[in-house]
Amino acid sequence: MIPNSIVAKMWLTIVGMVFVIQALLSVLLQQVFNKYIVTREEASLTQLALTIESVLATGAYRSIKEQVASDIAKRVERATVVYGIPYTANSALTQAYHSMTPQERQALSRGQPVTLSGTAGKVRRLTVYVQIPAAESPQPGLLAVSQDTSVLDEPLREIRNMVLFDTVLGVILATGFAFVISKNLSRPLVDMTRAAEEMARGHYRQRVRVVTNDEVGRLGHTFNALARQLAETIEQLTMEREGLQRILSSLQDGVVATDLDGRVVLANPPAKRHLRHLSVAERGIVDEDRLPDRLMSLWVRVREQQDAVYREDTWDGRTIGITMLPLYEADGTTLRGALCVLRDITEERRLDRLRKDFIANVSHELRTPLSMLQGYTEALLDDISDDPEMRRELTEIIHDETLRMKRLVNDLLNLAQLESGQFKLHFTRLDLTQVMRRVARKFQALASDEDHLAFEVSIPDGPVIVDGDEDRLEQVFTNLLDNAFRHTAQGTIRFELDIRHDYAYVRVADTGSGIPEEDVPYIFERFYKADKARTRSRSGTGLGLAIARQLVIEHRGEILVESRLGEGTTFTVVLPLACPNPRGEGEGAS
């Protein structure tokens, strides 16, 4: 079996061709030499036979003729001479003559020699017959000169040995030449094979050494150019793939690519999270390799319609916008899969709902004062009463409603500026206790007028330094206390401050009606209002808590709420201290 090597294949091919040619040539040469030697020996025997025949045909004495014939026969190695005049005088000649064909007998009668070969026992002999004319006998004589062909073996053996030696020498020389030639021809191919194997392993910087300008050299140059271009292409594809992976990984939307069977071939991290969630919900196992049933229904529609499909669905309380579109092969017509984009639009839908609620709330808040303004203005225009007190009362109502609308518009503008970052705060280093005492004094009189309402203030004696806008912090505390007084018919309202871990905690707690648990997450939204059954007086615009929260956030703080329906509400404003409080925790009565 030929080894799996181009060098061995070329070497064996060349050696095989030389061996076959030498073998055929040796066989032909041996046949030619055999024929030449046999032909030459026949000619020698024929010449000997003719010579002896001419001697025997002379008129010399018989003894002399026999002596001369014997001397001539000795010139040829292992030659024997037999003759008979007439031929019937010798039984062997008689038998030989009768065994000849008519054509051979005619040739003898015409004086032509006849050459026959035969075997006597194990000895092969070559015999030449010549007819001897005999005038004194009615039958001609016959001369037979024969020779043992074994004398021809020695020259044939020498020729055979020479041919064999020439064949072996030719094969040896051809082997060397074939190895050198095949090695030189195959070296560039072997180098290119090794380079191609390295390129298959991902090493695209391989090059082959080119030393000739023949076809193999041009192949080497072409291979190097191809390797260089392939390395550049792979590098570009790698960069594009890495860029695509980074883009997909940085996307907040989930991106999933599938094949024709709905198997996932590409998915970024957000998409994998969605696939894990849906696979566990539908099948009870984590499966990121196949589209969930919810998405497979869309994939079936895309495959049938071969057009983009959009649908919104709710998963685990989140609203997901699903866009699925077909993917085609390079021909642009053969469908090869689908691309699915999963976008969490919960916040968008919430903002849309807030926008609609905002418009509805603003319209509702403005409709009442505008209706009152319109009614009282029409009453004044119609001179409904000549009483100056009545006119003054109507005018005051119009003025109050105008101020209410102005407060509403100002609150809306302030909230919009706070949320957009355009609201300018004037930060200074201030004593938080002074701000709280000033706010507390505003509500002391209101608390003293209520028999069933207690207002307790607990503020440290020492200063509590924070960085903030004094007016805006006062606005926050005023708003929280105003809500507490409006929603507490009887009980206690506490306004207190304590220090923990370099933060100031300002609490406004009441024992009023409280807030339902389901409404607590929404109290900081615009136009949130407590139920009127829990309100002592006319409610505000519903923007106070939203503004308070934004102001606290601008001060790098937090505002927390705890409430139980019927038990009361506690708002806690957490503000970072400007410097650590050397006193630690402490409280003192104001």
Side-chain angles (χ1 to χ4, degrees), residues 40 92 105 116 121 200 238 259 369 389 462 482 505 507 542:
R40 188 184 66 175
R105 294 175 186 175
L116 297 177
T238 302
D259 59 10
E389 291 297 330
D482 181 67
Y505 291 79
R507 278 184 291 273

Side-chain angles (χ1 to χ4, degrees), residues 30-42 159:
Q30 187 172 354
Q31 291 180 354
V32 169
F33 281 123
N34 286 343
K35 186 176 181 180
Y36 171 74
I37 291 175
V38 171
T39 302
R40 188 184 66 175
E41 195 64 25
E42 288 180 357
I159 292 173

Side-chain angles (χ1 to χ4, degrees), residues 389-558:
E389 291 297 330
M390 179 65 71
R391 286 180 172 273
R392 181 177 178 83
E393 183 180 355
L394 293 177
T395 305
E396 289 178 355
I397 293 175
I398 293 174
H399 182 263
D400 291 340
E401 295 300 325
T402 303
L403 293 178
R404 182 185 174 191
M405 286 192 296
K406 182 179 179 180
R407 286 195 305 270
L408 175 61
V409 173
N410 288 336
D411 288 345
L412 287 174
L413 290 176
N414 291 336
L415 183 59
Q417 290 176 352
L418 282 171
E419 292 178 345
S420 64
Q422 298 178 355
F423 193 84
K424 300 299 181 182
L425 298 178
H426 303 284
F427 281 84
T428 59
R429 185 152 294 188
L430 54 90
D431 184 1
L432 188 60
T433 61
Q434 297 297 329
V435 178
M436 292 182 62
R437 288 188 178 96
R438 187 163 56 250
V439 174
R441 285 194 293 269
K442 296 180 182 179
F443 290 90
Q444 289 288 356
L446 180 60
S448 62
D449 294 338
E450 300 290 340
D451 296 333
H452 305 287
L453 187 63
F455 181 45
E456 298 178 359
V457 180
S458 179
I459 301 174
D461 295 332
V464 178
I465 306 302
V466 297
D467 290 327
D469 188 320
E470 186 173 355
D471 293 337
R472 296 307 172 185
L473 289 177
E474 184 176 342
Q475 178 182 352
V476 171
F477 301 147
T478 301
N479 182 276
L480 295 179
L481 284 173
D482 181 67
N483 283 340
F485 274 92
R486 286 192 293 110
H487 293 87
T488 305
Q490 59 181 4
T492 303
I493 297 175
R494 296 189 305 274
F495 187 37
E496 54 190 15
L497 167 65
D498 64 87
I499 308 300
R500 287 182 296 176
H501 305 295
D502 299 334
Y503 283 89
Y505 291 79
V506 180
R507 278 184 291 273
V508 176
D510 63 65
T511 58
S513 56
I515 305 172
E517 183 179 357
E518 63 273 12
D519 291 341
V520 171
Y522 306 104
I523 62 172
F524 293 111
E525 292 186 2
R526 301 173 181 180
F527 299 108
Y528 169 80
K529 290 185 180 181
D531 190 86
K532 291 185 178 180
R534 299 182 285 111
T535 305
R536 295 174 60 251
S537 60
R538 185 176 60 188
S539 62
T541 62
L543 298 173
L545 289 178
I547 294 175
R549 180 176 180 273
Q550 289 296 327
L551 287 173
V552 173
I553 292 175
E554 291 294 327
H555 283 78
R556 301 183 302 279
E558 291 290 339

Side-chain angles (χ1 to χ4, degrees), residues 371-384 394 398:
S371 299
M372 296 178 66
L373 288 176
Q374 180 182 0
Y376 291 131
T377 304
E378 290 176 351
L380 292 175
L381 291 177
D382 294 339
D383 294 330
I384 192 172
L394 293 177
I398 293 174

